[in-house]
Amino acid sequence: MDHKNGSIVTEFILIGFSGGWELQIFCFVIFSLIYCATVVGNILIIITVIFSSSLHSPMYFLLGHLSFLDMCLSSATTPKMITNLLTEHKMISVWGCMTQMFFMHFFGGAEMTLLIVMAFDRYVAICKPLHYRAIMNPRLVSRFLIISWIVGFLHTMSQMVLTVNLPFCGYNVVDNIFCDLPVVIKLACVETYILELFVIADSGLLSLICFILLLVSYTIILATVQQKSSGGLPKALSTLSAHIIVVTLFFGPCILIYAWPFSSFTSNKTLAVFYTVITPLLNPIIYTLRNQKMQEAMRKLHLHHISCI
């Protein structure tokens, strides 16, 4: 198809999930419940970390920040996806599409970096427990958080600055549940081969490198626990295996979408659902709500709230 002969595009059509009206209603209900649970769960974690003095430590501070990023990442894509399930004309403006991609990669890049920081925090806590407070001091933790936001900003800007001025004309159908770089770039009416390679090098390599670093750090932690105390190995293995599952569900789709040959997975909506809808819900459950200290802090806050009424 010759895109150059088409008119200038001001809106994109998001195909979303194909199927009958019953399937659309079913998806609307399921994704609405997941999104509400994600927002409520992550807000509950943030409030608990802020108001519970027993959780004023680097680990829980990072967990609270992770919850904030999860909520933002999910909010960048899920509300539009949910509303489109009930509309016949699933439209999004070009600038709305660009905004969605900007924030998705902004929060996604920041979260990838934060997961590395959290793995480092657990490494220090387990492998160097006597020096934990000295190493993970408030100044270093604040610097880590600033770095995560900077990485997220540079990650999204490096791609969006090359995408935002692309001319779109003629064909305007986005074969996905939300706007994302691989499918949107292909709709431009200019040659985008170099930009496609850049997206692979940027998003793909960032996802792959972060995933490998996390697996290496978890392996080191397990090896250290085994050397120090074989009795603590089952508990550490149970905890880290759950973390690895969540990390795989987040990074796996990202790697397949961005690091694989560009045309292979651009239309796979299931992969996109995992790292924008499912993972933000699993993170608070796996990382935080299974934590006994967090549960106890939530109970105390709940009892304090009841006593104040």
Side-chain angles (χ1 to χ4, degrees), residues 126-144:
I126 294 175
C127 301
K128 301 179 182 296
L130 298 179
H131 304 284
Y132 178 73
R133 288 289 182 180
I135 296 176
M136 297 300 294
N137 57 77
R139 178 177 296 182
L140 181 63
V141 174
S142 299
R143 287 177 179 175
F144 278 150

Side-chain angles (χ1 to χ4, degrees), residues 4 6 20 67 88 113 168 188 208 223 230 238 260-261 302:
K4 296 182 181 180
S67 293
E88 184 178 353
T113 310
F168 297 96
L208 185 59
S230 59
S238 174
W260 215 258
H302 179 64

Side-chain angles (χ1 to χ4, degrees), residues 216-276:
V216 170
S217 65
Y218 290 151
T219 302
I220 294 174
I221 291 172
L222 285 175
T224 303
V225 172
Q226 185 178 19
Q227 290 177 358
K228 289 186 175 182
S229 173
S230 59
L233 184 60
K235 182 179 179 180
L237 186 60
S238 174
T239 301
L240 292 181
S241 62
H243 291 189
I244 292 173
I245 290 173
V246 175
V247 166
T248 303
L249 289 176
F250 179 73
F251 284 98
C254 293
I255 293 171
L256 290 175
I257 290 174
Y258 298 111
W260 215 258
F262 215 78
S263 60
S264 299
F265 290 93
T266 54
S267 62
N268 198 328
K269 305 174 185 68
T270 304
L271 293 175
V273 168
F274 271 105
Y275 76 91
T276 59

